[in-house]
Amino acid sequence: MTNPYSDLPARAFWRSGVTLRDALDPGDLYQPKFAITRDMRVMTAGSCFAQHVGRTLRKAGFNVLDNEPLPDTVPDAVANRFGYRLYSARYGNIYTVRQLMQLFRECRGRAEIALPVWEKDGRFFDSQRPSVEPDGLDSPELVHEHREKHLLAVRRAFNRCDLMVFTLGLTEAWIHRETGTVYPTAPGTIAGTFDPEVFAFKNYTFEEIIRDFRTFRAAMKRRNPDLKFLVTTSPVPLTATASGQHVEVATAYSKATLRSVCGALYQEFDDVEYFPSYEVITSANNRMAYFEANKRSVSPEGVAKAMHMFLAAHDEEAAAAIAPEAAGEGAAPAEKPAARPRRKAGEAARTRVGKAAGKKAAGRKAGGKKQLVNAEDIQDEICEDVLLEAFSK
Amino acid sequence: MTKKVTLIGSSHAGAMKYGWDEIGADHPGIDLTYVVSPRDVLTRLSLTKTRVYGAHRDSGLSKQQRKALEARSGGTRFDLKEADVVLLVGTNPDPAFLRHLLGQADVDGLRALGAPTRLSRPAFDAILDDYTARILPTANWRNWDSPQLIYVDTPRRSEMVLEVAEMNRPENPEGYAAIFDMASDRLGAALEAAGIAYLAQPRDTIAENGLSKAEFNVGSSRFQSGRSHSERDTTHMNGAYGVRVWQDILARIA
């Protein structure tokens, strides 16, 4: 060995790993630590991008828990409007690890939500998931009854899952000053009333977020020592920030912090996997091709590309069934093993890069039997953009 | 003057047939034609803009299915313009939907049995609206000047279902009466808005629990063969039910 880089695979170098890669070839970004199999009971939660993970896994035949089910004949459009089928229970988007932790503790009777019911125009909303009943409910009592029932479903999901999938979405949140209760949306947007004496803006730090996740992980592992985690960072920029910074600067802080937390968790724990959907979508290599005209919303093609990469790494059958056009040109080759041990520095590269991989993928075009991740099938995620719209200039 | 009536239907047409066998002789002015198919075939039959109903090129029916349709109904395509009255009987493509929904979900103020899912009224209303839209006949059926088109509602399950315990699971009818009435009212309003007359299930055939009275289910028979349905069949009604529905139809088309 002439130097520590001499035996590294092509993927370790920017020139071969990125510069020479076709623009829409996502490359060999993902090498799972552990297999994710169809028999694992999967719980999904997180920011809106996490909906794609759950939907893709469910469609591919993975055992994604749905503890508040509706018959299949209820269309997704109707079910999703009321928070059904988005996640393993009807909690809506959970943008922060603090809220995930809070939900976990609430399920066990160890957390009490301050101001649990918000009102708007004579209708009543669950402050922890105001979007799941867009028309609100008739009374505060009804909101409490629904939440009690919902918490049973969430608790069952926490208790039963073998894999917890969580997408970290935001560092910014609104909390109750006195108790620290965190809310998924700003009071006064979907419902409730904003009172600066009661609510405070919070921008979580790296230390706070990783501490919350460690606490959450430890609590979950006490119940199931074999439990595994899959974390992702949402690639969706902030629609607005209340931090006082320019929204682009605030987004950079938010994404860098969340991505760092994911990276630190990945390195710290063997049972925490990181899936680089953030990198697939935001890579300089694809020149913003996976963002819509507003440069913020992720395009269906981008989602398809990321989720194809995920399936290809975890399920050979699913990968083989996907036609390359499902994820755009230059889709990742499908012959990867279901899972591989973490590669150590210096191991030989097994991944083709650049045009070779693109050609290989294109050669599989005619053989595609069934598309599991088709860009046309990608549904809009349900995002509470209203969370921050109220603060946008 | 003879009135030509074409009855298009699913297996639920059996009750209508055996009912008509009982009372048809009293109505010599009615010339009744049946176009009856099992549900898997019925859902593939369609109506053209010129109101020709049946197995068109895109139906995807097999040769065997076409032959069976011909044997049952005397053809595979039917010009409905030749009829004075067209009856749609048991054509709901998803008649079990509400039971499946209520097997998984409670509904605020209507049903509270500890099901895995609890639906708010707005959520339930949205689901019911979608269901109504799904079972509404397609555009070519709407706003006819002639012939007279009547949508005859698919009968509710017999209350015998409470004793049969299908799938080894006892069924609890809590809320059924109100929920099925809501669904019926909503369908009726949607049909009327689409220019299609709606004939709801006769009130006197419905038990207090919202299901069909057992007396209208026992002894039901298959449309074509005349063989009895299984004793565990709680879906199909008998000739007595057919008689009762015919009374309402005859009153409408008189």
Side-chain angles (χ1 to χ4, degrees), chain A residues 241-295:
Chain A
T241 178
S243 66
Q245 294 182 301
H246 188 284
V247 69
E248 204 162 11
V249 177
T251 294
Y253 165 77
S254 179
K255 298 303 168 186
T257 301
L258 298 175
R259 178 63 187 86
S260 298
V261 168
C262 288
L265 291 168
Y266 175 83
Q267 291 185 25
E268 185 175 344
F269 301 111
D270 285 341
D271 54 26
V272 177
E273 178 67 271
Y274 173 68
F275 174 63
S277 52
Y278 176 81
E279 285 79 355
V280 172
I281 303 300
T282 63
S283 171
N285 192 45
N286 63 43
R287 300 166 185 82
M288 294 290 285
Y290 297 141
F291 283 99
E292 301 282 14
N294 64 5
K295 302 169 189 171

Short mmCIF file of all heavy atoms in Angstrom, two decimals, chain A residues 241-295:
data_model
loop_
_atom_site.label_atom_id
_atom_site.label_comp_id
_atom_site.label_asym_id
_atom_site.label_seq_id
_atom_site.Cartn_x
_atom_site.Cartn_y
_atom_site.Cartn_z
N THR A 241 -39.00 29.85 7.90
CA THR A 241 -38.31 29.69 9.18
C THR A 241 -38.72 30.81 10.13
O THR A 241 -38.96 31.94 9.69
CB THR A 241 -36.79 29.71 9.00
OG1 THR A 241 -36.16 29.59 10.29
CG2 THR A 241 -36.30 30.99 8.34
N ALA A 242 -38.79 30.48 11.38
CA ALA A 242 -39.07 31.49 12.39
C ALA A 242 -37.79 31.81 13.16
O ALA A 242 -37.82 32.45 14.20
CB ALA A 242 -40.15 30.99 13.34
N SER A 243 -36.65 31.38 12.61
CA SER A 243 -35.38 31.53 13.34
C SER A 243 -34.79 32.94 13.21
O SER A 243 -33.87 33.29 13.95
CB SER A 243 -34.37 30.53 12.79
OG SER A 243 -34.04 30.84 11.44
N GLY A 244 -35.27 33.71 12.28
CA GLY A 244 -34.71 35.03 12.04
C GLY A 244 -33.64 35.02 10.96
O GLY A 244 -33.24 36.07 10.46
N GLN A 245 -33.21 33.83 10.58
CA GLN A 245 -32.22 33.73 9.52
C GLN A 245 -32.91 33.66 8.15
O GLN A 245 -34.12 33.44 8.06
CB GLN A 245 -31.38 32.46 9.72
CG GLN A 245 -30.51 32.51 10.97
CD GLN A 245 -29.68 31.26 11.08
OE1 GLN A 245 -30.21 30.15 11.13
NE2 GLN A 245 -28.36 31.44 11.13
N HIS A 246 -32.11 33.84 7.11
CA HIS A 246 -32.65 33.60 5.77
C HIS A 246 -33.07 32.12 5.70
O HIS A 246 -32.41 31.25 6.27
CB HIS A 246 -31.57 33.89 4.72
CG HIS A 246 -32.09 33.85 3.31
ND1 HIS A 246 -32.37 32.67 2.66
CD2 HIS A 246 -32.40 34.85 2.44
CE1 HIS A 246 -32.81 32.94 1.44
NE2 HIS A 246 -32.85 34.26 1.29
N VAL A 247 -34.15 31.86 4.98
CA VAL A 247 -34.68 30.50 4.97
C VAL A 247 -33.65 29.50 4.41
O VAL A 247 -33.63 28.31 4.80
CB VAL A 247 -36.02 30.44 4.19
CG1 VAL A 247 -35.79 30.68 2.70
CG2 VAL A 247 -36.74 29.12 4.42
N GLU A 248 -32.81 29.95 3.52
CA GLU A 248 -31.82 29.02 2.95
C GLU A 248 -30.74 28.69 3.99
O GLU A 248 -30.27 27.56 4.08
CB GLU A 248 -31.19 29.64 1.69
CG GLU A 248 -30.62 28.59 0.76
CD GLU A 248 -30.40 29.12 -0.66
OE1 GLU A 248 -30.49 30.33 -0.89
OE2 GLU A 248 -30.13 28.28 -1.53
N VAL A 249 -30.38 29.69 4.77
CA VAL A 249 -29.39 29.47 5.84
C VAL A 249 -30.02 28.57 6.91
O VAL A 249 -29.38 27.64 7.41
CB VAL A 249 -28.94 30.82 6.44
CG1 VAL A 249 -27.98 30.60 7.60
CG2 VAL A 249 -28.28 31.68 5.36
N ALA A 250 -31.27 28.87 7.24
CA ALA A 250 -31.96 28.06 8.25
C ALA A 250 -32.10 26.61 7.77
O ALA A 250 -31.97 25.67 8.56
CB ALA A 250 -33.33 28.65 8.55
N THR A 251 -32.39 26.45 6.48
CA THR A 251 -32.51 25.09 5.93
C THR A 251 -31.17 24.36 6.03
O THR A 251 -31.12 23.19 6.42
CB THR A 251 -32.97 25.16 4.46
OG1 THR A 251 -34.29 25.68 4.40
CG2 THR A 251 -32.96 23.78 3.81
N ALA A 252 -30.10 25.06 5.70
CA ALA A 252 -28.79 24.42 5.76
C ALA A 252 -28.48 23.97 7.18
O ALA A 252 -27.99 22.85 7.40
CB ALA A 252 -27.72 25.38 5.25
N TYR A 253 -28.82 24.81 8.16
CA TYR A 253 -28.58 24.42 9.56
C TYR A 253 -29.41 23.18 9.89
O TYR A 253 -28.92 22.20 10.44
CB TYR A 253 -28.95 25.56 10.52
CG TYR A 253 -29.06 25.04 11.94
CD1 TYR A 253 -27.91 24.78 12.69
CD2 TYR A 253 -30.30 24.74 12.51
CE1 TYR A 253 -28.00 24.26 13.98
CE2 TYR A 253 -30.39 24.21 13.78
CZ TYR A 253 -29.24 23.97 14.52
OH TYR A 253 -29.33 23.43 15.77
N SER A 254 -30.68 23.25 9.53
CA SER A 254 -31.60 22.17 9.87
C SER A 254 -31.15 20.85 9.25
O SER A 254 -31.02 19.83 9.94
CB SER A 254 -33.01 22.54 9.38
OG SER A 254 -33.92 21.51 9.68
N LYS A 255 -30.88 20.89 7.95
CA LYS A 255 -30.51 19.64 7.26
C LYS A 255 -29.16 19.13 7.73
O LYS A 255 -28.96 17.91 7.91
CB LYS A 255 -30.51 19.85 5.75
CG LYS A 255 -31.86 20.25 5.18
CD LYS A 255 -32.93 19.22 5.51
CE LYS A 255 -34.32 19.75 5.20
NZ LYS A 255 -35.39 18.84 5.65
N ALA A 256 -28.21 20.05 7.92
CA ALA A 256 -26.89 19.63 8.37
C ALA A 256 -26.97 18.99 9.75
O ALA A 256 -26.33 17.96 10.02
CB ALA A 256 -25.94 20.82 8.38
N THR A 257 -27.79 19.58 10.60
CA THR A 257 -27.92 19.06 11.96
C THR A 257 -28.57 17.67 11.95
O THR A 257 -28.06 16.73 12.57
CB THR A 257 -28.76 20.04 12.81
OG1 THR A 257 -28.11 21.31 12.80
CG2 THR A 257 -28.91 19.53 14.23
N LEU A 258 -29.67 17.58 11.22
CA LEU A 258 -30.38 16.30 11.19
C LEU A 258 -29.53 15.22 10.52
O LEU A 258 -29.49 14.06 10.97
CB LEU A 258 -31.72 16.45 10.45
CG LEU A 258 -32.71 17.43 11.09
CD1 LEU A 258 -33.94 17.59 10.20
CD2 LEU A 258 -33.12 16.95 12.47
N ARG A 259 -28.84 15.61 9.47
CA ARG A 259 -27.98 14.63 8.78
C ARG A 259 -26.84 14.20 9.69
O ARG A 259 -26.44 13.02 9.69
CB ARG A 259 -27.45 15.25 7.47
CG ARG A 259 -26.51 14.36 6.68
CD ARG A 259 -27.20 13.10 6.21
NE ARG A 259 -26.26 12.17 5.60
CZ ARG A 259 -25.53 11.27 6.27
NH1 ARG A 259 -25.66 11.17 7.59
NH2 ARG A 259 -24.70 10.47 5.62
N SER A 260 -26.32 15.15 10.45
CA SER A 260 -25.24 14.80 11.38
C SER A 260 -25.73 13.85 12.46
O SER A 260 -25.02 12.90 12.84
CB SER A 260 -24.69 16.07 12.05
OG SER A 260 -24.16 16.93 11.09
N VAL A 261 -26.95 14.09 12.93
CA VAL A 261 -27.51 13.18 13.94
C VAL A 261 -27.62 11.78 13.35
O VAL A 261 -27.23 10.79 13.98
CB VAL A 261 -28.90 13.69 14.41
CG1 VAL A 261 -29.61 12.61 15.22
CG2 VAL A 261 -28.75 14.96 15.23
N CYS A 262 -28.13 11.70 12.14
CA CYS A 262 -28.26 10.38 11.49
C CYS A 262 -26.89 9.72 11.36
O CYS A 262 -26.73 8.52 11.64
CB CYS A 262 -28.90 10.53 10.10
SG CYS A 262 -30.64 10.94 10.12
N GLY A 263 -25.91 10.50 10.94
CA GLY A 263 -24.57 9.94 10.77
C GLY A 263 -23.98 9.47 12.09
O GLY A 263 -23.36 8.40 12.16
N ALA A 264 -24.20 10.27 13.12
CA ALA A 264 -23.66 9.90 14.42
C ALA A 264 -24.34 8.64 14.96
O ALA A 264 -23.68 7.75 15.52
CB ALA A 264 -23.83 11.06 15.39
N LEU A 265 -25.65 8.56 14.77
CA LEU A 265 -26.38 7.37 15.23
C LEU A 265 -25.92 6.14 14.46
O LEU A 265 -25.74 5.06 15.03
CB LEU A 265 -27.89 7.58 15.04
CG LEU A 265 -28.55 8.62 15.94
CD1 LEU A 265 -29.96 8.93 15.46
CD2 LEU A 265 -28.57 8.13 17.39
N TYR A 266 -25.73 6.32 13.17
CA TYR A 266 -25.28 5.22 12.31
C TYR A 266 -23.93 4.68 12.78
O TYR A 266 -23.71 3.46 12.83
CB TYR A 266 -25.18 5.73 10.87
CG TYR A 266 -24.62 4.74 9.88
CD1 TYR A 266 -25.43 3.77 9.30
CD2 TYR A 266 -23.28 4.79 9.51
CE1 TYR A 266 -24.91 2.87 8.37
CE2 TYR A 266 -22.75 3.90 8.59
CZ TYR A 266 -23.57 2.94 8.02
OH TYR A 266 -23.06 2.05 7.11
N GLN A 267 -23.05 5.59 13.15
CA GLN A 267 -21.72 5.15 13.59
C GLN A 267 -21.74 4.59 15.01
O GLN A 267 -20.97 3.70 15.35
CB GLN A 267 -20.75 6.33 13.52
CG GLN A 267 -20.46 6.73 12.08
CD GLN A 267 -19.40 7.82 11.98
OE1 GLN A 267 -18.57 7.96 12.86
NE2 GLN A 267 -19.44 8.57 10.89
N GLU A 268 -22.65 5.08 15.80
CA GLU A 268 -22.66 4.68 17.22
C GLU A 268 -23.32 3.33 17.45
O GLU A 268 -22.89 2.57 18.31
CB GLU A 268 -23.38 5.77 18.03
CG GLU A 268 -23.36 5.55 19.54
CD GLU A 268 -23.99 6.72 20.28
OE1 GLU A 268 -24.17 7.81 19.69
OE2 GLU A 268 -24.30 6.55 21.47
N PHE A 269 -24.34 3.04 16.66
CA PHE A 269 -25.14 1.83 16.93
C PHE A 269 -25.18 0.90 15.71
O PHE A 269 -25.52 1.33 14.61
CB PHE A 269 -26.58 2.21 17.29
CG PHE A 269 -26.69 3.10 18.49
CD1 PHE A 269 -27.10 4.42 18.36
CD2 PHE A 269 -26.40 2.61 19.77
CE1 PHE A 269 -27.21 5.24 19.47
CE2 PHE A 269 -26.51 3.43 20.88
CZ PHE A 269 -26.92 4.75 20.73
N ASP A 270 -24.89 -0.36 15.93
CA ASP A 270 -24.98 -1.35 14.85
C ASP A 270 -26.41 -1.57 14.39
O ASP A 270 -26.65 -2.04 13.29
CB ASP A 270 -24.39 -2.69 15.30
CG ASP A 270 -22.87 -2.65 15.33
OD1 ASP A 270 -22.30 -1.75 14.67
OD2 ASP A 270 -22.27 -3.50 16.01
N ASP A 271 -27.35 -1.26 15.27
CA ASP A 271 -28.75 -1.51 14.90
C ASP A 271 -29.43 -0.28 14.30
O ASP A 271 -30.64 -0.27 14.12
CB ASP A 271 -29.54 -2.02 16.12
CG ASP A 271 -29.43 -1.09 17.32
OD1 ASP A 271 -29.19 0.12 17.13
OD2 ASP A 271 -29.56 -1.58 18.45
N VAL A 272 -28.67 0.74 14.04
CA VAL A 272 -29.24 1.93 13.38
C VAL A 272 -28.67 2.02 11.97
O VAL A 272 -27.46 2.15 11.78
CB VAL A 272 -28.94 3.23 14.15
CG1 VAL A 272 -29.50 4.44 13.38
CG2 VAL A 272 -29.55 3.18 15.55
N GLU A 273 -29.58 1.96 11.02
CA GLU A 273 -29.21 2.06 9.60
C GLU A 273 -29.52 3.48 9.12
O GLU A 273 -30.49 4.10 9.58
CB GLU A 273 -30.03 1.05 8.80
CG GLU A 273 -29.80 1.06 7.31
CD GLU A 273 -28.40 0.60 6.94
OE1 GLU A 273 -27.50 1.45 6.88
OE2 GLU A 273 -28.24 -0.62 6.73
N TYR A 274 -28.70 3.98 8.21
CA TYR A 274 -29.02 5.26 7.57
C TYR A 274 -29.27 5.01 6.10
O TYR A 274 -28.43 4.42 5.40
CB TYR A 274 -27.86 6.26 7.73
CG TYR A 274 -28.10 7.53 6.94
CD1 TYR A 274 -29.11 8.41 7.30
CD2 TYR A 274 -27.37 7.81 5.80
CE1 TYR A 274 -29.37 9.56 6.55
CE2 TYR A 274 -27.61 8.97 5.04
CZ TYR A 274 -28.62 9.82 5.43
OH TYR A 274 -28.89 10.94 4.68
N PHE A 275 -30.40 5.46 5.62
CA PHE A 275 -30.69 5.37 4.18
C PHE A 275 -30.53 6.75 3.55
O PHE A 275 -31.21 7.70 3.96
CB PHE A 275 -32.11 4.84 3.95
CG PHE A 275 -32.49 4.87 2.49
CD1 PHE A 275 -31.79 4.10 1.57
CD2 PHE A 275 -33.53 5.67 2.04
CE1 PHE A 275 -32.12 4.14 0.22
CE2 PHE A 275 -33.86 5.72 0.70
CZ PHE A 275 -33.15 4.95 -0.22
N PRO A 276 -29.63 6.86 2.54
CA PRO A 276 -29.27 8.20 2.05
C PRO A 276 -30.22 8.79 1.01
O PRO A 276 -29.79 9.24 -0.06
CB PRO A 276 -27.88 7.96 1.45
CG PRO A 276 -27.93 6.56 0.97
CD PRO A 276 -28.80 5.82 1.94
N SER A 277 -31.51 8.80 1.30
CA SER A 277 -32.45 9.44 0.37
C SER A 277 -32.13 10.93 0.25
O SER A 277 -32.31 11.53 -0.81
CB SER A 277 -33.89 9.25 0.86
OG SER A 277 -34.02 9.66 2.20
N TYR A 278 -31.65 11.51 1.33
CA TYR A 278 -31.28 12.93 1.29
C TYR A 278 -30.23 13.16 0.21
O TYR A 278 -30.33 14.10 -0.60
CB TYR A 278 -30.75 13.36 2.66
CG TYR A 278 -30.25 14.78 2.69
CD1 TYR A 278 -31.14 15.84 2.84
CD2 TYR A 278 -28.90 15.07 2.56
CE1 TYR A 278 -30.70 17.15 2.85
CE2 TYR A 278 -28.44 16.38 2.57
CZ TYR A 278 -29.35 17.41 2.71
OH TYR A 278 -28.90 18.71 2.71
N GLU A 279 -29.23 12.29 0.17
CA GLU A 279 -28.15 12.45 -0.81
C GLU A 279 -28.64 12.17 -2.23
O GLU A 279 -28.23 12.86 -3.18
CB GLU A 279 -26.99 11.51 -0.47
CG GLU A 279 -26.14 11.96 0.71
CD GLU A 279 -26.77 11.64 2.07
OE1 GLU A 279 -27.92 11.15 2.09
OE2 GLU A 279 -26.13 11.89 3.10
N VAL A 280 -29.50 11.18 -2.37
CA VAL A 280 -30.02 10.86 -3.71
C VAL A 280 -30.71 12.08 -4.30
O VAL A 280 -30.52 12.44 -5.46
CB VAL A 280 -31.01 9.66 -3.66
CG1 VAL A 280 -31.69 9.46 -5.00
CG2 VAL A 280 -30.29 8.39 -3.23
N ILE A 281 -31.53 12.73 -3.48
CA ILE A 281 -32.33 13.85 -3.98
C ILE A 281 -31.49 15.11 -4.16
O ILE A 281 -31.65 15.86 -5.13
CB ILE A 281 -33.51 14.14 -3.01
CG1 ILE A 281 -34.38 12.89 -2.82
CG2 ILE A 281 -34.34 15.33 -3.49
CD1 ILE A 281 -34.99 12.36 -4.07
N THR A 282 -30.59 15.37 -3.23
CA THR A 282 -29.90 16.68 -3.24
C THR A 282 -28.52 16.63 -3.89
O THR A 282 -27.84 17.64 -3.93
CB THR A 282 -29.73 17.20 -1.79
OG1 THR A 282 -28.88 16.27 -1.07
CG2 THR A 282 -31.06 17.33 -1.09
N SER A 283 -28.12 15.47 -4.39
CA SER A 283 -26.78 15.35 -4.98
C SER A 283 -26.52 16.42 -6.04
O SER A 283 -27.35 16.69 -6.90
CB SER A 283 -26.64 13.97 -5.62
OG SER A 283 -25.44 13.91 -6.37
N ALA A 284 -25.32 16.98 -5.98
CA ALA A 284 -24.91 17.96 -7.00
C ALA A 284 -24.90 17.30 -8.37
O ALA A 284 -25.06 17.97 -9.40
CB ALA A 284 -23.53 18.50 -6.65
N ASN A 285 -24.74 15.99 -8.39
CA ASN A 285 -24.67 15.26 -9.65
C ASN A 285 -25.94 15.38 -10.47
O ASN A 285 -25.90 15.39 -11.70
CB ASN A 285 -24.38 13.78 -9.36
CG ASN A 285 -23.99 13.03 -10.62
OD1 ASN A 285 -23.20 13.51 -11.40
ND2 ASN A 285 -24.57 11.86 -10.80
N ASN A 286 -27.08 15.46 -9.80
CA ASN A 286 -28.32 15.49 -10.58
C ASN A 286 -28.83 16.90 -10.84
O ASN A 286 -29.90 17.09 -11.43
CB ASN A 286 -29.40 14.60 -9.94
CG ASN A 286 -29.81 15.07 -8.57
OD1 ASN A 286 -29.99 16.25 -8.36
ND2 ASN A 286 -29.96 14.15 -7.63
N ARG A 287 -28.11 17.89 -10.44
CA ARG A 287 -28.38 19.30 -10.79
C ARG A 287 -29.84 19.69 -10.54
O ARG A 287 -30.51 20.22 -11.42
CB ARG A 287 -28.00 19.56 -12.25
CG ARG A 287 -26.52 19.31 -12.55
CD ARG A 287 -26.26 19.25 -14.05
NE ARG A 287 -24.90 18.89 -14.36
CZ ARG A 287 -24.42 17.65 -14.39
NH1 ARG A 287 -25.23 16.63 -14.08
NH2 ARG A 287 -23.16 17.40 -14.69
N MET A 288 -30.33 19.41 -9.35
CA MET A 288 -31.69 19.79 -8.94
C MET A 288 -32.79 19.11 -9.76
O MET A 288 -33.94 19.57 -9.75
CB MET A 288 -31.88 21.31 -9.03
CG MET A 288 -31.03 22.11 -8.07
SD MET A 288 -31.58 21.90 -6.35
CE MET A 288 -33.05 22.89 -6.33
N ALA A 289 -32.44 18.05 -10.46
CA ALA A 289 -33.44 17.40 -11.33
C ALA A 289 -34.60 16.81 -10.53
O ALA A 289 -35.66 16.58 -11.08
CB ALA A 289 -32.76 16.30 -12.14
N TYR A 290 -34.37 16.55 -9.25
CA TYR A 290 -35.41 15.90 -8.47
C TYR A 290 -36.23 16.86 -7.62
O TYR A 290 -36.92 16.46 -6.70
CB TYR A 290 -34.80 14.81 -7.59
CG TYR A 290 -34.16 13.71 -8.40
CD1 TYR A 290 -32.97 13.12 -8.00
CD2 TYR A 290 -34.75 13.26 -9.58
CE1 TYR A 290 -32.39 12.11 -8.74
CE2 TYR A 290 -34.17 12.26 -10.33
CZ TYR A 290 -32.99 11.70 -9.91
OH TYR A 290 -32.43 10.70 -10.65
N PHE A 291 -36.10 18.14 -7.94
CA PHE A 291 -36.96 19.12 -7.27
C PHE A 291 -37.94 19.70 -8.28
O PHE A 291 -37.63 19.85 -9.46
CB PHE A 291 -36.13 20.24 -6.62
CG PHE A 291 -35.46 19.81 -5.35
CD1 PHE A 291 -34.13 19.43 -5.34
CD2 PHE A 291 -36.17 19.77 -4.16
CE1 PHE A 291 -33.51 19.03 -4.15
CE2 PHE A 291 -35.56 19.37 -2.97
CZ PHE A 291 -34.23 19.00 -2.97
N GLU A 292 -39.10 20.06 -7.77
CA GLU A 292 -40.09 20.69 -8.63
C GLU A 292 -39.68 22.15 -8.89
O GLU A 292 -38.66 22.62 -8.38
CB GLU A 292 -41.47 20.65 -7.96
CG GLU A 292 -41.97 19.25 -7.64
CD GLU A 292 -42.52 18.51 -8.86
OE1 GLU A 292 -42.28 18.97 -10.00
OE2 GLU A 292 -43.18 17.48 -8.68
N ALA A 293 -40.53 22.86 -9.63
CA ALA A 293 -40.19 24.22 -10.04
C ALA A 293 -39.97 25.16 -8.84
O ALA A 293 -39.23 26.13 -8.94
CB ALA A 293 -41.29 24.77 -10.93
N ASN A 294 -40.60 24.82 -7.71
CA ASN A 294 -40.41 25.69 -6.55
C ASN A 294 -39.09 25.42 -5.82
O ASN A 294 -38.80 26.00 -4.80
CB ASN A 294 -41.59 25.54 -5.56
CG ASN A 294 -41.67 24.13 -4.98
OD1 ASN A 294 -40.82 23.28 -5.23
ND2 ASN A 294 -42.70 23.89 -4.18
N LYS A 295 -38.30 24.51 -6.38
CA LYS A 295 -36.98 24.16 -5.84
C LYS A 295 -37.06 23.62 -4.42
O LYS A 295 -36.09 23.68 -3.67
CB LYS A 295 -36.03 25.37 -5.89
CG LYS A 295 -35.84 25.93 -7.30
CD LYS A 295 -35.12 27.26 -7.26
CE LYS A 295 -35.14 27.88 -8.65
NZ LYS A 295 -34.66 29.26 -8.65
#
